[in-house]
Amino acid sequence: MAQATTTARRRTRRLNPIDAFLWLIRIVAVVVILVGLTNSLTSGRLSAQQWRDLMVFGVSQGSVYALIALGYTLVYGVLKFINFAHGEVFMSSTMIGFFAADALARSGMWNDQPIVSLFIVLIVCMLTSTLVAITLERVAYRPLRGSPRLVPLITSIGASFFLQYTFAGLFGVGTRSWPQVEILQGSWQFLGFRIVRTQAVVILAALAMMALLYVFVERTRTGRAMRAVAEDQETAALMGIDVNRTIVVVFGVGGAMAGVAGFLWGLAFQTVFFFTGFLPGIKAFTAAVLGGIGNIAGAMVGGISLGIFEQVGPSAVLAGLGVEGFNQLKDVVAFTALVLVLIFRPSGILGERLSEERA
Amino acid sequence: MALLEISSLSKAFGGLHAIDKLDLHVDRGEIVSVIGPNGAGKTTFFNVITGMITPDEGEIIFDGADLAGLRPNQILALGMARTFQNVRLFPNMTVRENVMVGRHTRTKAGVFGAILRTPAFRAEEEETKRKAEETLSFFGTRLVGYRFDQPALNLSYANRRRLEIARAMGSDPQLLLLDEPTAGMNPRETLEITGLIGKLRDEKGFTVVLIEHDMRVVKGVSDRVIVLDHGSKIAEGPYDEVAQNPDVIEAYLGRPATGTA
Amino acid sequence: MSLTAAETTELLPAREVQLDRAVRVGLIGGLTAMFIVTSGMLETFDLRMIVDPILSLGYVTLMAAPFAVGYVAGKAPPVLEGYAAPSVGARNVQAGAIAGALTGAIYALYALIIHVLDFSSVFIKLTEQTKKIVTLDMGAGGVLILALVMAVSGAVGGAVHLLERRWKRAVLYSAFWVVMFGLLEVLVSQIAFVRRISAVKELLYGTDAGLTLIGAVIIGGLVFAAYYYLDGRVRAATRRAMALEGQQRRRFILISLGVAIVFLAVLPQILGPFLSEVLDLAGVFLLMALGLNIVVGFAGLLDLGYVAFFAVGAYTTAILTSPVSPKWSPELSFWTAIPFIILAAAAAGVMVGTPVLRLRGDYLAIVTLGFGEIARILFLSDALKPYFGGAQGMLLIPDIDIGPFTIDDSISFFYPIYAFVILFAYLSYALQDSRVGRAWMAMREDESVAEAMGVNIVAAKLWAFVIGAIFAAIGGALFAHKIGSVFPESFAILVSITVLVLIIVGGMGSVPGVTVGALALVALPELLREFAEFKFLFYGTLLIFMMLNRPEGFIPSRRRARELHLDEVEQDAWLAQAAEQDPAPAE
């Protein structure tokens, strides 16, 4: 029977139909984007100033995504698992931050002592989301370490809904609105860009946090432990690293970053309700993949790119294609970006870091 | 003509040359052992020729066909089947089902046959089942009877190794690649597997390439031994000849200190 | 490897119930009680009587917390090999009581605080009514009474372990069914209304829903007797039926099929329009669940945008059958539309499947989620409004005609829906037990090995996506016909998650499990509409709970149970053992 298939086979270089189809998608995507862009830019529908505004808005939106994306990236880097509930960690900080800000606003301190109050609210936000993230890890994820991959993933989906509806139950389903900060009204001019002050704060704060985190991961003992655990848990444990503690730190740091994101969200977009975390959560994950999951700088790059795609994309591409109501399709642009990235370059713009890909 | 012909095959991981310009051939009906110190690139060699890893360069001709760009399942269909160093069965499928999966490329039934339960589908299913049981009976009584319906994870370690060989045999290959088939076995089991490898060729007509650390096994079964070190072939020939080769001894034991004899 | 040594050596002393653990779970119980109060569950649930004058669902829920922690605290740790089994006794009760008392104490403290201070601007559910309920409307004295009852409840929870297994089951189940019957008054009264057997209903239930005391005693007694008597016998009977061979086996299967079909045929007639409506909806979800079961349960591909296929089916039907679909309106009948629906679904399955073929499992989840959202937004958008009607949706989808019959109400819709359920269940079984099913299973277990063993991963994945898509699309088409219209809001991400919950609770990969899961988890919330705000909280909790405690589901498939439990451990043990024997490190 071993000799049954002995005929010499023709030497063929087969073009797989799947690859062909993917190439087709790639080409179509590039053509569509180019045609849309050319049409929009030549139509002069938006002035240069309006384009710049959109860009700035995209960057500030993207900074928030980037901060949330850090939580996904860190956890994925270390545990190879998507913490689906991370969007809710972010939402929890915005929600609790609202109550702190609201209380301060009622007491009049919000605008009398803006710097102090903002600082207090920032701390509240960070503490909340860190606490939520660490609790999640302890209660829901730690007992599942080493189970088949789908199990923790499904758990995190459950946790996501649990948190959403817990917040809905405790604080109601209505939308709450952060108080405005007077000193952050108006805008600054910068190199010909007009930047709304809150947006400037968002961008600067996000950049600062990223830099801090980068130093933390690259330069400190704990950061080194994190990288070691990401590389190989067992070996790290043998080298005397407390793996459990390190994983708690990873969740904690990711949570703290989501807390900053929640704080900035409150300043920039004001409104919050129990479902606020869902879309930014998915988009932040998209950003993490876009930049290269497990890669801290990648989260920043991915977040800001996604923010720009999402703000500029509809006007730049869809409008040029004559799509009606293109502004409704912001989210479609974001998700399409995700699909395209995974088709074009699954390891993201900057590639995966923290540890090598394990299939 | 050789069954498997490999020329200037290379694969690097980062800066590490796991396989470096490797040329070798395997003739039909041979039993060839691939040996070498740890990290010599033996398993990578298996991974590359079975299509699980894409080589950086080089040509692999199997049974007259160029394997470049083929997926592992297509390579299996051409008649090259393997086992894994760390035993990778489908643990929750039964013993029989494991071998039936091995027959996947030799069967055709599709979704519609399964849904409509056509006579052709039923006949093929029966045939697959019969063939699987026949293959399992190659190992004597160890994997038959009530074992057919046991999940693979309930098997003993040695039986898992046997089942993995059975699964590969199930695909009616011409060339069987065995990655350390006796690893983790006790001396008696090792002896049994050694005999089995001979039977694989003599009774079943497979050509066999095996990676092995246990030199008694290598000595016992091989027609020819190929020694790899740092991804290149450093020696080749009958066991006794290779065992005397100073390069091989050096690869295993390190360079002898100068001045001492 | 033989572990007979344990038989000859002395057993180690038993691991007893730990009292400090009781304190820990007691704290958790306290937090739970606080949550029940603060989330408004207590107030909403209090409106529903279980046993008419004395016990509302609110208090049942509140008391369930200390009972559960008492049960957990009083449970002895699992007996390990080489240890003696612990004796049961006062210690179990004591641990339960400690946990319950702690829960009660935390509750009391919290109740007093919210009674005095006003938090209602933050926690909007802490209304005056809630405050009344937490104190039994008797101030601090009421709080004290409730706290004491909680301590007792915890002790009772611990004391359950003193009962012999058979008694324990009978007691717990009779309590469970009393609550269920109290809740499902609507079910009994609907049947009673249709069948005019209201005497039974009046005996069991009071005027204001909820069981009467006599009713509670009757139901509790009946359930107790049933469980006590049937314990072990049902299992033995099933085993006998399974062991039948050849001719007998065939006859048994035919008879049970016949009984099932007759039962299904008369079921909607007995249940009446309202309950049939509920079953219809559950059936539509069941169609989706069977499809997702193929994708997730068989092939191991986690698809979170599954609702998109449901939408494709509904919209395709709407375009093909409705006379007022905006752009193009062929006005086919349901039956002639079916081939096109299948084609559209298959195309959608390939479209979603292809880009994600080479992706790792968890990326797949997010990408499919993205696809689901893209589909929903596109259906909603103005850009495609000329085709899909945008936010206004599409109307006037006609009824289904079967020969001379018109399927136009909830009772008659039951038949096509469940006919498809039976068909899809059959298809699931047929596929599972075939070359294709084996390829899926192998792929789920180890994708790269499956490919090395000859499985065409691309084909296997695409088939799973396509078949899953077709199941969901047929579900969507029936749904559209039943409602008579299609709106984009029906296809939110929550539907995907709900379907996922159904198959996980029932048991991934298990057709009977998925069926029971869908019926229970869709029908129950429909019957308990007044608690709709807590539905997703319940689903989320259930997901976490199942994954932590019973990842194989309540009615698992044989395989899945093995896969998700002990055997990983067993396998690791084997590997470790292998490594020990062969110290040569991996290459």
Side-chain angles (χ1 to χ4, degrees):
Chain A
M1 61 184 170
Q3 278 76 21
T5 51
T6 321
T7 49
R9 282 173 182 81
R10 259 188 327 124
R11 184 184 165 160
T12 44
R13 181 75 192 85
R14 300 115 190 133
L15 182 65
N16 193 311
I18 300 296
D19 290 330
F21 183 73
L22 290 181
W23 271 110
L24 187 73
I25 296 182
R26 289 181 179 127
I27 293 165
V28 169
V30 170
V31 169
V32 166
I33 290 172
L34 285 181
V35 170
L37 265 180
T38 346
N39 284 349
S40 306
L41 293 179
T42 49
S43 73
R45 201 179 50 82
L46 292 181
S47 67
Q49 181 60 47
Q50 283 169 310
W51 284 118
R52 279 201 290 263
D53 286 351
L54 276 179
M55 291 284 274
V56 172
F57 192 68
V59 172
S60 74
Q61 176 102 45
S63 308
V64 176
Y65 292 158
L67 283 173
I68 307 173
L70 285 173
Y72 284 106
T73 266
L74 288 171
V75 170
Y76 194 92
V78 172
L79 290 179
K80 297 280 164 297
F81 137 72
I82 299 175
N83 178 12
F84 211 86
H86 192 64
E88 275 56 53
V89 172
F90 153 76
M91 178 273 290
S92 69
S93 70
T94 321
M95 184 69 96
I96 303 296
F98 157 78
F99 289 111
D102 193 52
L104 288 170
R106 275 166 211 249
S107 70
M109 202 173 141
W110 185 251
N111 283 318
D112 295 343
Q113 296 281 345
I115 304 294
V116 178
S117 346
L118 285 178
F119 187 72
I120 292 174
V121 174
L122 173 65
I123 297 296
V124 169
C125 285
M126 288 174 77
L127 283 180
T128 308
S129 52
T130 308
L131 191 72
V132 172
I134 289 176
T135 313
L136 265 183
E137 194 273 334
R138 186 68 195 85
V139 176
Y141 304 148
R142 191 180 298 180
L144 296 174
R145 235 177 268 156
S147 8
R149 290 179 81 137
L150 281 189
V151 171
L153 186 61
I154 292 171
T155 310
S156 71
I157 294 169
S160 167
F161 277 79
F162 176 81
L163 285 173
Q164 275 174 19
Y165 287 90
T166 296
F167 273 73
L170 294 179
F171 307 113
V173 293
T175 302
R176 312 268 186 158
S177 199
W178 278 47
Q180 300 240 344
V181 187
E182 270 171 27
I183 52 163
L184 293 181
Q185 300 304 303
S187 58
W188 286 310
Q189 289 289 332
F190 176 74
L191 295 178
F193 283 83
R194 186 183 63 204
I195 305 184
V196 178
R197 288 184 189 183
T198 47
Q199 288 175 0
V201 169
V202 168
I203 296 168
L204 289 177
L207 282 172
M209 291 316 292
M210 294 277 169
L212 256 175
L213 183 70
Y214 192 79
V215 171
F216 174 74
V217 172
E218 295 292 326
R219 293 286 145 78
T220 65
R221 244 176 89 82
T222 321
R224 216 162 30 236
M226 276 162 64
R227 282 180 291 144
V229 173
E231 207 66 53
D232 184 338
Q233 278 189 27
E234 276 170 38
T235 314
L238 288 175
M239 295 295 131
I241 294 172
D242 184 342
V243 173
N244 272 338
R245 200 185 138 263
T246 310
I247 290 174
V248 169
V249 171
V250 166
F251 272 88
V253 171
M257 293 295 141
V260 179
F263 170 75
L264 298 176
W265 179 278
L267 292 188
F269 307 105
Q270 267 106 27
T271 57
V272 53
F273 74 122
F274 74 98
F275 210 59
T276 293
F278 182 73
L279 271 184
I282 300 177
K283 287 187 187 158
F285 177 79
T286 304
V289 173
L290 199 64
I293 198 151
N295 182 332
I296 291 172
M300 190 78 204
V301 173
I304 290 178
S305 321
L306 187 72
I308 295 176
F309 289 159
E310 183 180 296
Q311 291 305 325
V312 179
S315 310
V317 178
L318 297 180
L321 296 170
V323 175
E324 249 177 85
F326 53 84
N327 274 326
Q328 296 169 331
L329 302 180
K330 228 174 55 174
D331 297 340
V332 172
V333 171
F335 293 130
T336 311
L338 172 67
V339 175
L340 290 179
V341 169
L342 289 173
I343 294 173
F344 278 100
R345 194 178 153 79
S347 57
I349 299 173
L350 297 189
E352 304 190 2
R353 277 271 185 79
L354 276 177
S355 79
E356 280 289 302
E357 169 182 347
R358 277 173 235 159
Chain B
M1 198 186 82
L3 178 63
L4 178 69
E5 181 92 56
I6 288 165
S7 41
S8 66
L9 189 70
S10 295
K11 175 73 196 175
F13 296 108
L16 175 77
H17 293 278
I19 298 191
D20 199 10
K21 304 216 174 56
L22 182 66
D23 297 302
L24 62 79
H25 70 97
V26 175
D27 289 326
R28 209 175 282 285
E30 260 191 314
I31 297 180
V32 176
S33 293
V34 177
I35 63 170
N38 289 317
K42 302 183 297 287
T43 295
T44 309
F45 167 63
F46 272 18
N47 286 342
V48 169
I49 60 176
T50 52
M52 296 181 81
I53 296 179
T54 320
D56 298 334
E57 56 180 306
E59 200 178 41
I60 310 166
I61 308 284
F62 176 71
D63 195 14
D66 185 357
L67 300 189
L70 291 187
R71 305 287 305 170
N73 58 315
Q74 296 168 310
I75 291 176
L76 183 96
L78 291 179
M80 191 196 304
R82 70 171 294 182
T83 67
F84 296 86
Q85 186 182 351
N86 48 351
V87 191
R88 290 168 75 178
L89 292 166
F90 306 119
N92 299 291
M93 299 175 78
T94 65
V95 167
R96 191 197 284 117
E97 282 172 337
N98 264 280
V99 184
M100 287 169 88
V101 171
R103 290 203 62 74
H104 196 83
T105 53
R106 302 287 172 245
T107 46
K108 294 192 290 293
V111 168
F112 297 106
I115 291 171
L116 302 172
R117 300 268 138 179
T118 55
F121 169 84
R122 288 190 207 197
E124 187 187 280
E125 197 79 348
E126 274 309 306
E127 172 73 6
T128 312
K129 205 164 151 182
R130 198 186 55 74
K131 277 265 174 67
E133 290 175 2
E134 186 188 301
T135 308
L136 285 165
S137 66
F138 179 72
F139 298 87
T141 55
R142 296 180 186 283
L143 294 173
V144 299
Y146 74 101
R147 292 255 190 238
F148 284 153
D149 293 310
Q150 270 195 337
L153 56 88
N154 284 2
L155 296 178
S156 73
Y157 181 75
N159 270 342
R160 290 182 190 200
R161 284 245 176 244
R162 293 186 186 104
L163 176 55
E164 220 191 9
I165 297 175
R167 185 176 65 181
M169 287 166 65
S171 67
D172 291 351
Q174 305 182 60
L175 177 60
L176 206 50
L177 306 172
L178 306 178
D179 198 343
E180 298 197 24
T182 67
M185 289 193 170
N186 64 34
R188 207 184 54 208
E189 290 163 340
T190 305
L191 202 66
E192 188 198 316
I193 293 281
T194 312
L196 208 86
I197 293 171
K199 269 170 68 186
L200 283 173
R201 185 214 9 218
D202 301 338
E203 289 179 16
K204 297 283 178 179
F206 299 126
T207 305
V208 179
V209 174
L210 70 150
I211 293 175
E212 191 47 76
H213 274 299
D214 189 329
M215 288 307 150
R216 282 164 302 174
V217 181
V218 175
K219 186 181 162 120
V221 301
S222 341
D223 298 324
R224 192 153 57 94
V225 178
I226 292 171
V227 190
L228 295 188
D229 191 26
H230 298 299
S232 335
K233 186 166 74 182
I234 56 169
E236 180 175 5
Y239 177 81
D240 295 326
E241 192 182 309
V242 165
Q244 305 301 321
N245 186 319
D247 288 341
V248 176
I249 296 168
E250 185 191 315
Y252 270 93
L253 301 176
R255 191 180 301 277
T258 44
T260 55
Chain C
M1 48 165 218
S2 65
L3 283 169
T4 45
E7 287 162 25
T8 52
T9 52
E10 197 73 359
L11 290 176
L12 293 164
R15 304 193 304 157
E16 293 287 347
V17 170
Q18 300 290 320
L19 294 185
D20 58 332
R21 183 157 169 274
V23 173
R24 276 209 305 279
V25 293
L27 286 173
I28 295 173
L31 286 175
T32 312
M34 282 168 65
F35 181 74
I36 291 171
V37 172
T38 321
S39 64
M41 259 185 225
L42 184 60
E43 185 180 334
T44 316
F45 289 2
D46 190 52
L47 298 174
R48 190 63 182 266
M49 297 312 282
I50 295 294
V51 180
D52 201 356
I54 49 168
L55 193 58
S56 76
L57 179 63
Y59 288 113
V60 169
T61 316
L62 196 58
M63 289 306 149
F67 180 82
V69 295
Y71 182 86
V72 172
K75 189 171 188 161
V79 182
L80 295 181
E81 189 158 355
Y83 285 83
S87 55
V88 289
R91 208 175 159 82
N92 302 68
V93 186
Q94 195 189 347
I98 290 176
L102 197 58
T103 303
I106 295 171
Y107 168 79
L109 197 63
Y110 184 65
L112 291 176
I113 292 174
I114 60 172
H115 194 58
V116 178
L117 302 173
D118 184 35
F119 292 111
S120 59
S121 67
V122 176
F123 299 111
I124 58 164
K125 300 284 175 57
L126 288 182
T127 57
E128 287 306 314
Q129 179 62 24
T130 299
K131 289 182 185 176
K132 264 188 200 165
I133 300 170
V134 295
T135 57
L136 289 173
D137 207 5
M138 300 194 302
V143 172
L144 197 64
I145 293 175
L146 282 177
L148 283 176
V149 177
M150 280 178 156
V152 173
S153 175
V156 172
V160 169
H161 298 288
L162 303 184
L163 297 173
E164 176 201 340
R165 193 191 97 96
R166 196 177 190 185
W167 278 84
K168 187 154 115 183
R169 279 169 60 91
V171 167
L172 289 178
Y173 276 107
S174 61
F176 173 76
W177 282 108
V178 167
V179 173
M180 285 311 270
F181 269 91
L183 274 178
L184 296 179
E185 184 262 351
V186 54
L187 205 148
V188 178
S189 68
Q190 283 284 328
I191 298 175
F193 173 73
V194 176
R195 293 295 106 190
R196 310 198 195 310
I197 41 167
S198 40
V200 180
K201 195 240 152 185
E202 269 157 31
L203 176 66
L204 294 180
Y205 292 98
T207 44
D208 191 26
L211 294 164
T212 55
L213 261 177
I214 299 172
V217 171
I218 292 177
I219 288 179
L222 283 178
V223 174
F224 183 90
Y227 271 96
Y228 190 78
Y229 175 73
L230 290 176
D231 186 63
R233 285 171 211 239
V234 174
R235 190 163 303 191
T238 333
R239 206 172 302 136
R240 266 202 306 280
M242 286 297 162
L244 291 179
E245 294 274 341
Q247 189 66 39
Q248 269 189 317
R249 181 182 167 80
R250 213 164 302 140
R251 195 183 311 146
F252 175 76
I253 291 176
L254 277 180
I255 292 174
S256 28
L257 265 182
V259 171
I261 286 173
V262 171
F263 175 73
L264 282 179
V266 297
L267 189 62
Q269 310 293 341
I270 297 175
L271 291 180
F274 173 73
L275 292 179
S276 298
E277 179 84 43
V278 172
L279 276 187
D280 289 352
L281 187 71
V284 168
F285 271 92
L286 179 51
L287 292 174
M288 276 197 277
L290 286 170
L292 191 63
N293 184 44
I294 288 187
V295 184
V296 183
F298 290 178
L301 308 162
L302 186 56
D303 183 347
L304 293 184
Y306 193 61
V307 68
F309 301 128
F310 184 63
V312 166
Y315 272 97
T316 313
T317 314
I319 291 173
L320 293 177
T321 63
S322 163
V324 295
S325 43
K327 194 94 169 185
W328 185 58
S329 168
E331 288 192 57
L332 302 178
S333 78
F334 172 70
W335 303 106
T336 39
I338 280 188
F340 298 99
I341 295 167
I342 291 177
L343 278 182
V350 171
M351 281 241 312
V352 174
T354 313
V356 298
L357 281 175
R358 303 267 157 86
L359 296 182
R360 276 173 280 169
D362 23 20
Y363 276 24
L364 184 79
I366 288 281
V367 173
T368 48
L369 184 72
F371 268 121
E373 282 294 284
I374 290 178
R376 188 182 61 83
I377 299 168
L378 287 182
F379 283 131
L380 184 64
S381 68
D382 289 343
L384 296 179
K385 192 170 178 179
Y387 305 93
F388 302 125
Q392 280 81 50
M394 289 159 83
L395 306 173
L396 289 183
I397 297 168
D399 298 326
I400 299 175
D401 289 313
I402 306 178
F405 303 104
T406 301
I407 304 292
D408 57 357
D409 62 3
S410 61
I411 293 183
S412 51
F413 255 106
F414 180 90
Y415 297 108
I417 290 176
Y418 280 85
F420 275 107
V421 166
I422 292 172
L423 176 67
F424 288 175
Y426 162 74
L427 293 182
S428 302
Y429 274 121
L431 287 168
Q432 186 176 25
D433 188 21
S434 77
R435 177 171 173 268
V436 181
R438 280 192 300 274
W440 284 336
M441 244 180 289
M443 185 170 80
R444 191 186 71 201
E445 305 249 304
D446 190 330
E447 192 173 314
S448 54
V449 175
E451 194 173 19
M453 282 299 119
V455 174
N456 184 342
I457 296 291
V458 169
K461 282 188 179 174
L462 283 182
W463 269 117
F465 271 114
V466 165
I467 294 173
I470 291 173
F471 282 22
I474 296 286
L478 286 165
F479 178 74
H481 279 283
K482 184 164 159 21
I483 307 288
S485 52
V486 186
F487 299 103
E489 291 84 68
S490 311
F491 309 109
I493 167 81
L494 287 177
V495 179
S496 300
I497 303 293
T498 305
V499 179
L500 185 67
V501 176
L502 305 183
I503 68 169
I504 281 166
V505 171
M508 271 189 284
S510 145
V511 175
V514 168
T515 308
V516 174
L519 291 179
L521 288 178
V522 178
L524 268 187
E526 277 308 301
L527 294 175
L528 302 172
R529 276 272 179 80
E530 54 213 286
F531 310 131
E533 57 178 309
F534 302 109
K535 180 166 129 182
F536 286 101
L537 182 64
F538 174 65
Y539 281 175
T541 318
L542 204 55
L543 267 188
I544 303 178
F545 176 84
M546 294 302 291
M547 284 296 115
L548 288 175
N549 295 298
R550 241 190 121 96
E552 74 278 16
F554 279 117
I555 307 176
S557 71
R558 203 165 36 87
R559 279 178 227 293
R560 208 57 175 182
R562 290 198 299 260
E563 181 171 338
L564 294 167
H565 256 279
L566 50 143
D567 307 313
E568 293 252 329
V569 181
E570 215 171 294
Q571 216 185 331
D572 290 348
W574 276 116
L575 287 176
Q577 191 196 342
E580 239 168 67
Q581 289 179 6
D582 174 41
E587 190 171 319

